[in-house]
Amino acid sequence: MRIEVKRDLCIGASSCVIVAPGVFELDSELKAIVKDPNGADAHTILEAARACPTLAIYLYDDDGKQIFPLPPAPTS
Amino acid sequence: MPSERTAVVVEKRPLTPEVRHVVLRLDEPETFSFQSGQIVQFVLDPKTLRLFSLASAPAALPLIELCVDITPGGRGSQFIERLRLGDRVQFRGPFGVFTVPPAETRPLEFVATGAGIAPIRGMLRGLFEAGNRFERPVALTFGNRRASDILYHDEWLALNAREPAFRYHATLSQPDAGWTGLHGRVTDALPSRKDEFQNRVFFLCGSPQMVDDTRKVLEEIGIPERDIHFEKFF
């Protein structure tokens, strides 16, 4: 899994750091960065991404396909 | 660096011993717009930022409202508790994606506990001030310990009485004698209504434990993950 923090979206809410402290930390500008992509299991990393209030964390599978955020749900 | 805005405290009152309702008047409202449910970020000092959900809807501008539980006692709680009428505050935003997408026309179920009602109050106000234009069912399931803990209870009762499309389900985990509403946690209240939930979109807000427990219950009764939006108050 590849983890990307969209720096322009990150507001330093720290949700990702709380959920997956082994993976994320805040830098000196209070933006989240990936300190160790292997610092938690895939489920925990996905939960960290889901907890971000601005959806600043993008996740990609090994083929490069975006797995989070999910595309918008179809509406009826 | 995000642009910083300023506002003045024009009202502050306790909703309960633990929760404060704060009303701010923007200094430059013409430069600010937001979607109901979004958050703003207060700058306590250059290295200390705190997020608070907007508990009001855009129609209330130039006023914005906050609903904050000060129980945690940290820097954010202290900041809110020290605010006095006339104080000027700095904030950034709005931010966040915990909003009802404009294109979303399906029935909506809001689920909150405690001060997790803040962004949901903003969304409900936004929906009904705009006339609930899709005429869809909208429900609020609101969990608290005791009746005295229910934030904006009278607002929800009034909305329930006024809006045929709205249903209010208050549930208490430690109900007082005489409570005639639901008993138990929100996770107890939801499964019995699962027949209503087909094609319904959920918005959950509260503690991480409440959100995760509710997501699990909803997934067990067949709600697709993509139809469950949430915001955790850490």
Side-chain angles (χ1 to χ4, degrees):
Chain A
M1 181 191 294
R2 183 168 71 84
I3 309 167
E4 179 187 10
V5 177
K6 302 279 188 185
R7 200 167 174 83
D8 56 328
L9 295 179
C10 179
I11 58 171
S14 300
S15 313
C16 57
V17 180
I18 294 168
V19 176
V23 178
F24 299 98
E25 65 182 6
L26 296 188
D27 67 11
S28 61
E29 296 178 352
L30 301 181
K31 299 278 189 180
I33 58 173
V34 178
K35 66 176 182 181
D36 180 3
N38 301 309
D41 60 35
H43 175 74
T44 302
I45 294 170
L46 179 57
E47 285 299 293
R50 284 174 170 154
C52 175
T54 60
L55 297 183
I57 298 170
Y58 280 55
L59 305 177
Y60 305 86
D61 68 16
D62 293 340
D63 296 325
K65 181 184 174 190
Q66 183 178 315
I67 55 176
F68 190 84
L70 296 169
T75 57
S76 57
Chain B
M1 177 70 67
S3 62
E4 293 190 0
R5 305 169 190 283
T6 56
V8 175
V9 180
V10 295
E11 182 183 339
K12 180 184 170 187
R13 59 188 167 91
L15 298 175
T16 72
E18 298 84 21
V19 179
R20 305 290 177 261
H21 180 86
V22 179
V23 183
L24 305 168
R25 186 178 60 240
L26 300 175
D27 286 329
E28 296 180 341
E30 65 280 4
T31 66
F32 184 80
S33 63
F34 71 102
Q35 298 174 57
S36 299
Q38 285 193 296
I39 51 183
V40 290
Q41 185 176 53
F42 284 78
V43 184
L44 279 53
D45 65 54
K47 288 291 180 188
T48 309
L49 311 173
R50 288 293 181 272
L51 294 170
F52 298 106
S53 291
L54 292 168
S56 53
L61 289 171
L63 303 179
I64 57 175
E65 301 175 32
L66 310 175
C67 167
V68 181
D69 184 349
I70 59 165
T71 308
R75 294 284 305 276
S77 303
Q78 294 170 26
F79 168 75
I80 292 293
E81 200 56 348
R82 288 189 190 126
L83 287 179
R84 297 289 177 262
L85 295 185
D87 283 355
R88 181 161 271 108
V89 295
Q90 282 186 308
F91 70 92
R92 299 170 181 172
F95 302 111
V97 296
F98 189 59
T99 62
V100 179
E104 180 58 72
T105 60
R106 292 175 291 175
L108 307 173
E109 181 83 20
F110 296 94
V111 183
T113 54
I117 196 66
I120 288 174
R121 180 176 185 257
M123 286 191 267
L124 285 170
R125 289 194 152 208
L127 283 167
F128 286 102
E129 284 167 359
N132 187 27
R133 63 191 176 99
F134 300 118
E135 297 182 353
R136 57 187 157 193
V138 177
L140 167 64
T141 300
F142 193 13
N144 289 279
R145 288 195 182 88
R146 295 168 297 273
S148 57
D149 296 326
I150 304 176
L151 304 173
Y152 310 110
H153 188 43
D154 289 344
E155 283 187 27
W156 313 131
L157 292 172
L159 192 61
N160 194 65
R162 188 179 75 237
E163 297 286 349
F166 179 73
R167 286 291 172 271
Y168 175 39
H169 306 278
T171 185
L172 298 180
S173 59
Q174 298 172 22
D176 320 74
W179 173 252
T180 57
L182 299 169
H183 291 210
R185 299 177 185 274
V186 293
T187 45
D188 301 316
L190 291 168
S192 64
R193 294 175 47 230
K194 65 180 179 183
D195 291 345
E196 298 174 36
F197 293 161
Q198 191 174 14
N199 207 31
R200 187 163 292 210
V201 184
F202 288 77
F203 293 82
L204 322 177
C205 190
S207 69
Q209 188 70 54
M210 168 272 188
V211 169
D212 288 342
D213 289 349
T214 305
R215 288 167 62 199
K216 187 176 178 189
V217 164
L218 293 176
E219 287 163 15
E220 284 171 357
I221 61 178
I223 308 299
E225 181 184 301
R226 68 191 314 160
D227 290 340
I228 305 172
H229 305 265
F230 62 85
E231 189 149 277
K232 296 179 178 179
F233 280 4
F234 288 99

